[in-house]
Amino acid sequence: MMKDLQGNSISEASAEAVDYYNQAVSAFNIYTGDPFSLVNNAIEVSPHFAMAHVLEMQGRVTEGVTWMATREPYWSDNDNFFKVHNWWHRALYYQELGQEDVVLGIYDNHIRNGDSTVVLELVDASAMLWRLNLEGVEVGDRWDELADCWQVHADGHSYTFNDWHAVMAYLGAGRDIDAGQVLKDCKNIKPGIESEMQQWTRQTTLPLIEGFIAFWRKDYQTAIERLYGARFIANSFGGSHAQRDIIDLTLIEAAIRAGQPELARALANERLALKPNSRLNQGFLARSKGRAVSG
């Protein structure tokens, strides 16, 4: 049995989360059993950001809500480049709790409060709307504004992690031509020695974009085929575990909608091993067994 820096026993399944947790604890110089007991009144954004990741990865949702709320002045200042991204993390906790109205409020007031074209903020917005869509939440015309702002960035060549998120916005806004153009640009890899970015595009981004397009078009079998293999190598092209989790969320939803209960149950149980109290994961498992889930 593994133990964290405070001597708490943690299962092997969450070993990577333990590492993040220990780094966050060290960053805060915490030596008590209370993760909210801070020494020296730390105000740097990095450890707050790290702890937000840890609590999400370990499924400690209520702690995450408390953490982000009580420490908000330290991570939400206007001159903090990660301010919006931290609001995105806060919204993840509320989504897990099934409080979609709160999530939409955070989206409107903090994630897309204005017409920012900062890529990190656009990535957060695309991912949040896609996550909500997977749960059947009506997001109105929010996709349209977001798709407009992606136009200056999505080119299929600069950073394909961003292109993938641009495609989500284009699909949501009904801009199939734009989504298709990004896909075409990503496929347009010139012969010769590949750059690292081109390798990422060919090996990881193309399957993800193709899988998400197929999912949106209700071609769930193709979505499964494209996303299942990509989930194992997606860490090669960037993003955090929380950001890349949208791949598995979409894959398991595709399996349910495609009528593949065995695959859906396997994926749900895989997630439950890491986050046994997760509302989303419990819902996936119940739906894979053909039972309706409230909340």
Side-chain angles (χ1 to χ4, degrees), residues 5-24:
L5 288 179
Q6 297 170 287
N8 302 310
S9 297
I10 302 180
S11 67
E12 295 288 342
S14 58
E16 193 160 11
V18 174
D19 182 56
Y20 279 115
Y21 177 75
N22 287 337
Q23 291 181 47

Side-chain angles (χ1 to χ4, degrees), residues 95-138:
Q95 186 192 15
E96 179 61 69
L97 291 171
Q99 298 180 25
E100 288 85 4
D101 56 336
V102 178
V103 176
L104 287 173
I106 291 175
Y107 182 94
D108 292 336
N109 295 314
H110 301 288
I111 296 177
R112 292 304 297 163
N113 183 16
D115 55 359
S116 170
T117 58
V118 175
V119 174
L120 177 60
E121 298 176 11
L122 299 180
V123 165
D124 290 338
S126 289
M128 185 53 64
L129 292 185
W130 189 273
R131 282 169 170 262
L132 289 170
N133 179 268
L134 290 177
E135 287 206 86
V137 177
E138 177 56 53

